[in-house]
Amino acid sequence: MKTIRTRTLAAAVVVAVAAAATVSAHMAYSKSMPEKDATLTESPDHLQVWFTQDPEPAISQLTLEGPGGEVTLGETTVGDEKSIVAAVSSPLGPGSYTVGWRSAGDDGHVLRGDFSFTIRAAD
Ligand SMILES: [Cu+2]
């Protein structure tokens, strides 16, 4: 009886470890340009978000929301070192901006997130 319980416990541990490995295999946001919560004195000419896995081009999308509503960006493409990138077509004025991103990694799960940055008027 005791042996059976030990085996059951061992099996449970194996399942738990496998589940943890699956979770850590999800793609995740790594860094961005502009950085999260950055304050800039001039407009970036592109937005870029890096991930922990190669982003799936068909699903990857960057959007930008500014003081005047949605800002039109260039097409979102896959950039260097597991990133996605989109050009900022015309310079951004002072204000608060939110970048929205959507992508997927190796397991195909669609991930979404957002982060903000601020542009302040040059002195
Ligand atoms: Cu996943």
Side-chain angles (χ1 to χ4, degrees), residues 32-43:
S32 61
M33 197 298 301
E35 288 178 28
K36 182 180 183 294
D37 299 327
T39 298
L40 312 176
T41 52
E42 51 184 48
S43 176

Side-chain angles (χ1 to χ4, degrees), residues 22-23 25-27 53 105-111:
T22 303
V23 168
H26 288 281
M27 185 163 91
Q53 296 176 5
D106 296 343
D107 65 9
H109 293 159
V110 177
L111 302 179

